[in-house]
Amino acid sequence: MSLARGELADARGYQERALALDPAHSGAMNELGRIRLRRHDAAGAIRHFISAARATPDERIYSRNIDVVILRTVSRTIYVFTLIALILIWVPATTHIDRFPFVIGLGMLGAVTVACFAWMMLRLPPEARLMVRRTLRAPRVAGALALAAGGVAVAVGIVALAPAADVTRVLPVAVVITVIARLAAFAALRSAARKN
């Protein structure tokens, strides 16, 4: 009830007291994972869900919770990546700078996105990393990532390869492609979440 009311500190206290009484209480571990998730700590949430799954291997809800966290993290990564790419696409048209720094900036965005995801993976227990790799290899999730990256790549190509005089004319096309790629990626992830 405390978690439902958003009283996260109280909810955490109750679950920690439950664990003090029964260190193998998988329900309390699961709830601590949900509390971490509400605090936007995906890695911490996964650690609690894995502890719950270890304590009660027959209970499938805990592994499903891990899949939900992974899919939510992938979804947020795609959202931030495409949003920043969308902003960067406007740079050549509005500032009239050379497009070479623009392409370097988008390349750096891709590298930073991959580095952040890798850093999060390193914070996870080894078995969680296996689950993340399994989830990322699922056709719908891999398709969502390909749609987002491919859409941004096409949009960047359109802006980068257009003659300087035509950049303002091709910009709306690049923006529409990026938005469609993001929406298609989200639809693929929603489909993967429903399947799980």
Side-chain angles (χ1 to χ4, degrees), residues 2-43:
S2 295
L3 180 59
R5 288 195 299 260
E7 298 165 358
L8 301 184
D10 288 344
R12 181 178 173 187
Y14 293 133
Q15 299 305 331
E16 286 175 347
R17 273 193 295 230
L19 279 177
L21 294 170
D22 178 6
H25 194 300
S26 58
M29 294 174 200
N30 184 64
E31 290 305 304
L32 284 170
R34 292 180 61 213
I35 293 164
R36 291 274 192 156
L37 201 53
R38 288 281 291 273
R39 289 185 168 163
H40 308 291
D41 179 9

Side-chain angles (χ1 to χ4, degrees), residues 133-190:
R133 282 196 286 273
R134 184 202 70 209
T135 301
L136 293 179
R137 286 185 188 134
R140 291 179 176 143
V141 178
L145 291 168
L147 280 167
V152 168
V154 169
V156 168
I158 288 172
V159 173
L161 299 175
D166 293 339
V167 169
T168 53
R169 279 200 303 251
V170 299
L171 181 64
V173 175
V175 168
V176 167
I177 289 171
T178 305
V179 170
I180 288 173
R182 185 169 76 184
L183 293 175
F186 286 166
L189 287 176
R190 275 196 298 274

Side-chain angles (χ1 to χ4, degrees), residues 1-78:
M1 288 175 67
S2 295
L3 180 59
R5 288 195 299 260
E7 298 165 358
L8 301 184
D10 288 344
R12 181 178 173 187
Y14 293 133
Q15 299 305 331
E16 286 175 347
R17 273 193 295 230
L19 279 177
L21 294 170
D22 178 6
H25 194 300
S26 58
M29 294 174 200
N30 184 64
E31 290 305 304
L32 284 170
R34 292 180 61 213
I35 293 164
R36 291 274 192 156
L37 201 53
R38 288 281 291 273
R39 289 185 168 163
H40 308 291
D41 179 9
I46 287 177
R47 280 196 292 273
H48 282 298
F49 292 144
I50 283 181
S51 296
R54 284 177 185 152
T56 315
D58 297 333
E59 182 57 67
R60 303 291 302 159
I61 188 70
Y62 306 136
S63 60
R64 283 199 298 272
N65 284 346
I66 295 168
D67 285 335
V68 167
V69 175
I70 294 168
L71 290 173
R72 185 181 290 185
T73 303
V74 170
S75 177
R76 287 184 178 159
T77 302
I78 288 173

Side-chain angles (χ1 to χ4, degrees), residues 82-158:
T82 54
L83 180 65
I84 295 173
L86 201 55
I87 293 166
L88 287 175
I89 286 171
W90 285 85
V91 171
T94 56
T95 61
H96 305 292
I97 64 167
D98 183 50
R99 280 164 291 171
F100 183 65
F102 154 71
V103 173
I104 290 176
L106 281 164
M108 288 175 61
L109 169 64
V112 167
T113 302
V114 170
C116 288
F117 200 81
W119 177 75
M120 191 198 84
M121 287 276 289
L122 290 173
R123 293 177 58 212
L124 297 175
E127 61 223 84
R129 290 181 211 154
L130 291 172
M131 295 181 83
V132 171
R133 282 196 286 273
R134 184 202 70 209
T135 301
L136 293 179
R137 286 185 188 134
R140 291 179 176 143
V141 178
L145 291 168
L147 280 167
V152 168
V154 169
V156 168
I158 288 172

